[in-house]
């Protein structure tokens, strides 16, 4: 099912400002779309509006072109999975998963098929006859997912469904959810504040901040071409190195004049209008190239070994840079090394509007 939001806004009663404002969005049929953003930005509010659990203050919500604003949740053909799943404690895992289908008077055969199929995918078959109190939190979370799956809805709405799981299980479930989505092809809208989840699972990411969309696109677009400074700082780990400065004589110069970085010819053309104006320069940690002739001579203060890569926490005068290098390369704390920024990978942002320039 295709989900469309037209200029959607939400103002909670008693609140002075809109929590969500001017959200325009199309989620295509069968897409896996992730709504990402920092805590309190309005992700759950938006999802709950799509579910029908929150009223819509302004704008239109359309499912396959049909206006849904006033349609009650049970008639929307959606299934929602929450972070705080509430399983019926007196029912077995099987009964919990079967519950919604039983309420709809589906046949025992169909219910059994669906429950077993979901349990198999979620690897909880051996707990079907346990009570929720007798299984782990992670297993309970999977029962909650299974409960939504058995209904075969037109849209899955998931609000941070993995956040209670430990890191390993979360990684496993991420892949399982993507596989599940591939086999079911159900439109999925998934809310998280975890950019790794968004980057690894989404076919489309929607990044929200303070109730407004900052960028919509594919994960690689977010990483390679963040549209504004907020997106640049939010996506990527370690965080992108960001410097404030000016364009002087076609080059980027830090405000204290200690750094001079020459852009590529292509960027130079786009920066012509910024002569003597403030801009931000962003460089990802892996875009520093070791270079004996390099213009950036940095002092390595701390080295963090992550396995396949090392993070160098460095200083150049007043400036700090995080530089990533292959895990097997040799660097020592307290020593200086020269690097050149990869010219083809510089991100420039307008000093005032904070929008991307190049
Ligand atoms: N029922 C409510 N009444 C009034 N304000 C609310 C209500 N629910 C949420 N808010 C406010 O709306 C804003 C957005 O909340 P929301 O729960 O949508 O954020 P979120 O992005 O899901 O955050 P988190 O990542 O912490 O779950 C917050 O400032 C919150 O306090
Ligand atoms: Mg939330």
């Amino acid at each position: 099912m295709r989900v469309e939001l037209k200029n959607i806004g939400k103002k909670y009663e008693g609140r002075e400002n809109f929590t969500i404002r001017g959200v325009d969005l199309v989620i295509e049929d069968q897409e896996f779309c992730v709504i990402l953003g920092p805590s309190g930005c309005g992700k759950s509010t938006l999802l709950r509006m799509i579910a029908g659990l929150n009223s819509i203050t302004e704008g239109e919500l359309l499912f396959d072109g049909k206006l849904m604003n006033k349609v009650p949740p049970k008639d929307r053909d959606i299934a929602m999975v929450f972070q705080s799943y509430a399983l019926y404690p007196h029912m077995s895992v099987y009964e919990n998963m079967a519950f919604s289908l039983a309420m709809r008077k589906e046949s025992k055969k169909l219910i059994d098929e669906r429950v077993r199929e979901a349990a198999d995918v979620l690897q909880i078959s051996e707990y079907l006859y346990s009570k929720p109190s007798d299984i782990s939190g992670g297993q309970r979370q999977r029962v909650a997912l299974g409960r939504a799956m058995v209904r075969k809805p037109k849209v899955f709405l998931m609000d941070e469904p993995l956040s209670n799981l430990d890191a390993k299980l979360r990684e496993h479930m991420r892949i399982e959810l993507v596989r599940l989505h591939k086999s079911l092809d159900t439109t999925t809208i998934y809310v998280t504040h975890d950019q790794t989840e968004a980057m690894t699972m989404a076919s489309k990411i929607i990044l929200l901040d303070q109730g407004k969309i900052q960028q919509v696109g594919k994960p690689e677009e977010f990483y390679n071409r963040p549209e504004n400074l907020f997106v640049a700082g939010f996506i990527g780990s370690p965080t992108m190195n960001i410097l404030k400065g000016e364009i002087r004589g076609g080059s980027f110069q830090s405000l204290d004049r200690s750094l001079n970085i020459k852009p590529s010819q292509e960027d130079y053309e786009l920066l012509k209008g910024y002569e003597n104006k403030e801009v931000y320069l962003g460089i990802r940690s892996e875009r520093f190239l070791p270079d004996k002739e390099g213009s950036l001579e940095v002092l390595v203060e701390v080295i963090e070994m992550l396995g396949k890569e090392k993070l160098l926490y460095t200083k150049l005068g007043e400036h700090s840079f995080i530089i990533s290098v292959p895990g097997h390369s040799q660097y020592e704390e307290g020593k200086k090394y020269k690097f050149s920024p990869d010219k083809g990978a510089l991100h420039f942002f307008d000093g005032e509007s904070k929008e991307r320039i190049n």
Side-chain angles (χ1 to χ4, degrees), residues 244-249 251-253 255 271-280 348-352 357:
K244 197 172 184 184
E246 285 175 354
I247 300 300
R248 288 184 171 266
S251 276
F252 173 88
Q253 211 171 64
L255 288 183
L271 289 165
K272 272 188 176 155
Y274 284 85
E275 205 51 47
N276 299 320
K277 284 197 187 139
E278 281 193 356
V279 297
Y280 292 90
F348 288 99
F349 303 94
D350 187 302
E352 238 166 76
I357 299 170

Side-chain angles (χ1 to χ4, degrees), residues 236-250:
S237 174
T239 312
M240 186 188 279
N241 295 286
I242 290 170
L243 293 161
K244 197 172 184 184
E246 285 175 354
I247 300 300
R248 288 184 171 266

Side-chain angles (χ1 to χ4, degrees), residues 8-243:
I8 287 275
K10 174 72 185 174
K11 187 174 172 302
Y12 283 111
E13 221 166 293
R15 292 261 164 175
E16 209 168 302
N17 298 315
F18 275 72
T19 295
I20 295 286
R21 196 90 210 237
V23 168
D24 274 309
L25 193 62
V26 177
I27 298 151
E28 297 295 347
D29 186 30
Q30 305 187 357
E31 202 161 33
F32 196 119
C33 163
V34 173
I35 300 175
L36 175 68
S39 185
C41 72
K43 304 179 295 294
S44 297
T45 298
L46 192 57
L47 198 71
R48 293 171 62 86
M49 282 198 277
I50 297 170
L53 302 173
N54 277 347
S55 64
I56 296 171
T57 312
E58 60 180 28
E60 293 183 344
L61 172 69
L62 306 163
F63 284 2
D64 276 344
K66 283 200 279 296
L67 189 65
M68 301 307 283
N69 288 40
K70 302 276 183 224
V71 176
K74 67 175 174 42
D75 298 330
R76 291 191 183 193
D77 214 346
I78 49 148
M80 187 145 169
V81 184
F82 301 91
Q83 178 186 349
S84 54
Y85 43 84
L87 302 177
Y88 298 108
H90 57 286
M91 291 183 188
S92 68
V93 165
Y94 187 107
E95 289 163 336
N96 265 283
M97 286 170 68
F99 187 74
S100 66
L101 295 178
M103 289 295 282
R104 282 164 201 242
K105 307 255 182 313
E106 299 289 355
S107 74
K108 284 222 159 58
K109 181 166 172 289
L110 178 129
I111 293 176
D112 195 60
E113 266 172 29
R114 296 263 184 101
V115 169
R116 288 182 192 284
E117 184 188 347
D120 186 40
V121 171
L122 296 165
Q123 299 180 15
I124 48 173
S125 301
E126 59 181 295
Y127 311 110
L128 279 177
Y129 301 101
S130 305
K131 291 271 162 59
S133 57
D134 300 335
I135 58 178
S136 76
Q139 289 155 352
R140 270 178 240 154
Q141 184 65 78
R142 284 187 269 173
V143 177
L145 280 171
R147 202 169 45 173
M149 273 167 64
V150 295
R151 290 177 42 198
K152 306 218 165 172
K154 291 263 175 60
V155 183
F156 277 121
L157 301 176
M158 303 190 184
D159 195 347
E160 315 237 12
L162 306 185
S163 49
N164 285 337
L165 308 183
D166 69 43
K168 261 262 175 304
L169 190 54
R170 201 156 56 215
E171 216 170 283
H172 173 75
M173 286 300 296
R174 278 208 307 257
I175 298 161
E176 284 305 329
L177 276 176
V178 171
R179 279 215 190 103
L180 187 70
H181 175 254
K182 282 210 162 75
S183 66
L184 303 178
D185 276 341
T186 309
T187 309
T188 303
I189 309 177
Y190 183 103
V191 159
T192 181
H193 64 272
D194 179 347
Q195 52 142 337
T196 312
E197 273 181 24
M199 296 294 277
T200 51
M201 296 170 81
S203 52
K204 178 193 271 172
I205 299 177
I206 293 144
L207 181 54
L208 277 188
D209 186 38
Q210 298 180 16
K212 294 211 175 76
I213 292 185
Q214 301 294 315
Q215 184 164 342
V216 177
K218 293 192 176 68
E220 55 267 37
E221 291 167 354
F222 273 78
Y223 195 77
N224 297 328
R225 279 191 58 82
E227 281 171 16
N228 62 43
L229 199 62
F230 174 80
V231 181
F234 194 83
I235 298 287
S237 174
T239 312
M240 186 188 279
N241 295 286
I242 290 170
L243 293 161

